[in-house]
Amino acid sequence: MGNFLALVQNENMKIYRRLRTWIMFGMIIVLPIVFAGLIAFSESHTGSSQTGAWDMAKNLGSIYFLVSIFTLIVAADIVAGEFTWGTVKLLLIRPWSRSKVLLSKLLSVLLFSILMSIVFFIVIISVSMLFFQNTPPAFLELGSTPLEQVLLVLLYKFIDLLVISSLAFMISTVFRASGIAIGLSMFIMMAGNTIAMLLNPIRYPWAKYLLFHNMDLSKYVMNTGGDTSFSFASLYEKAGMSMGFSAIVLAVYVVVFLAIAWMVFKRRDVAA
C-alpha cells in the first residue's frame, strides 16, 4: 500500500511541478474576481439593482467550465505525455504492475479535479460575499439553503467533468497523443448540446442512450427560465428518461472508457 501511495505522490509531483498547473489555478482565482469586480463596479455607477451575493455565486459557477477544460488537459496528457517524452519505459521497469501505474494516474487526475473544484468553490463564495450583499437569493428553491443550491449546481458540473475526463484519459491511453484526446473531448463537451438537439430521444428512442443526452443532470431538477410549466425533466420523461437512468448510463460510459484504457495499457508495447 505504501508503495502505491508513493506512486500516486510521484504522479502528483509531475502535475504540480509544471508551470501550466499554477497558471490554471491562477486563472480560476483571478477570473471570478475580475468578473465580480466589474459587475459590482457597473452596478455601483449605473444605479442598477444590486445583485445578491448568492445569486452572483451561482452566476460565477458558469466559469466552472474552465475547471473542466483544465482537468481534461491534465487527463489527456498524463498518459500520452509519458510516451511523448519517452519516460514510459522508465516508469514500467519499476516494481509496479501496469494496472497500478494506470490507477495512480487516474487517481491523480481525480485528486486534481477535486482540489481545483474546492479552490473554485471557495473563490466564488468569498468573492461574492466580498463584493455583494448577503441578501436572500432569487433562485432559492423550497426546502434548500443558498449554500446547498450553489453546491448542487457545482456537483452536477463536477459529474460532467468526471465523464469527459474519463473520455480524455481513455483517448490519451489508446492513441498516445494528448492533442487528439484534448480535441475530441472538447468537441464532445462543446458540441454535445447541438448533437443532442439533432437526435431527439422522443423521435429516435435509441438516442436516449447517447452520452450527450445524459450529460448535465441538473436538467431534471431545474426549470427553464421562469416558466414553471415547462422543464427539461418533463421533456426527457416522455422519452423514458430520468435522473437515475442518466446516472446509470453515465456510470456505464465511465466504466467502459476506463476498461478500454486499462486493456490497451496492459497490452501496449512500449517499444512501439
Side-chain angles (χ1 to χ4, degrees):
M1 184 65 179
N3 290 335
F4 178 72
L5 292 178
L7 187 57
V8 175
Q9 181 182 19
N10 181 59
E11 292 299 330
N12 276 278
M13 288 174 60
K14 293 178 184 178
I15 294 174
Y16 295 104
R17 70 166 51 134
R18 302 187 66 170
L19 177 61
R20 75 173 186 191
T21 300
W22 299 107
I23 293 176
M24 292 174 181
F25 275 99
M27 289 182 66
I28 66 168
I29 293 174
V30 172
L31 288 180
I33 296 175
V34 171
F35 288 153
L38 288 175
I39 294 173
F41 178 81
S42 175
E43 289 184 349
S44 64
H45 283 74
T46 59
S48 58
S49 58
Q50 186 72 21
T51 303
W54 292 107
D55 289 324
M56 179 52 57
K58 183 184 178 184
N59 292 336
L60 290 176
S62 60
I63 307 176
Y64 189 84
F65 78 92
L66 286 176
V67 178
S68 299
I69 291 176
F70 295 155
T71 304
L72 184 157
I73 291 173
V74 172
D77 184 64
I78 198 165
V79 176
E82 299 284 1
F83 288 95
T84 301
W85 296 102
T87 54
V88 66
K89 295 179 183 179
L90 298 176
L91 186 63
L92 295 181
I93 62 175
R94 298 180 181 182
W96 299 312
S97 67
R98 292 194 178 197
S99 296
K100 287 186 177 180
V101 169
L102 193 65
L103 180 59
S104 69
K105 290 182 176 295
L106 180 62
L107 286 178
S108 297
V109 173
L110 178 61
L111 291 173
F112 175 82
S113 66
I114 293 174
L115 177 60
M116 184 162 277
S117 297
I118 292 174
V119 171
F120 179 79
F121 172 73
I122 293 174
V123 169
I124 64 172
I125 294 297
S126 301
V127 168
S128 298
M129 293 299 175
L130 178 64
F131 287 105
F132 302 92
Q133 296 181 356
N134 186 9
T135 56
F139 66 89
L140 186 63
E141 296 184 6
L142 185 64
S144 63
T145 65
L147 181 61
E148 288 173 346
Q149 282 288 286
V150 174
L151 283 172
L152 193 60
V153 170
L154 293 183
L155 175 62
Y156 292 135
K157 294 179 183 294
F158 182 73
I159 293 173
D160 287 349
L161 176 155
L162 292 180
V163 177
I164 294 298
S165 298
S166 299
L167 174 62
F169 187 82
M170 182 268 290
I171 297 174
S172 170
T173 305
V174 172
F175 295 101
R176 297 181 294 178
S178 58
I180 296 176
I182 294 172
L184 288 177
S185 300
M186 287 191 65
F187 171 77
I188 292 176
M189 186 171 68
M190 300 298 182
N193 289 335
T194 302
I195 298 174
M197 290 175 62
L198 296 175
L199 299 175
N200 191 316
I202 297 178
R203 184 176 181 182
Y204 305 104
W206 53 267
K208 67 182 180 180
Y209 298 103
L210 296 177
L211 179 63
F212 317 108
H213 283 297
N214 295 283
M215 300 284 285
D216 187 17
L217 296 178
S218 65
K219 62 176 173 280
Y220 291 109
V221 295
M222 297 182 181
N223 291 323
T224 302
D227 184 5
T228 57
S229 65
F230 171 80
S231 69
F232 282 109
S234 61
L235 178 65
Y236 281 98
E237 283 174 2
K238 293 179 181 178
M241 299 173 65
S242 65
M243 179 180 288
F245 174 86
S246 291
I248 293 173
V249 171
L250 292 178
V252 171
Y253 270 104
V254 170
V255 171
V256 171
F257 292 154
L258 297 182
I260 293 174
W262 177 76
M263 288 187 292
V264 171
F265 192 75
K266 282 277 289 184
R267 301 175 181 178
R268 174 75 69 188
D269 181 5
V270 297

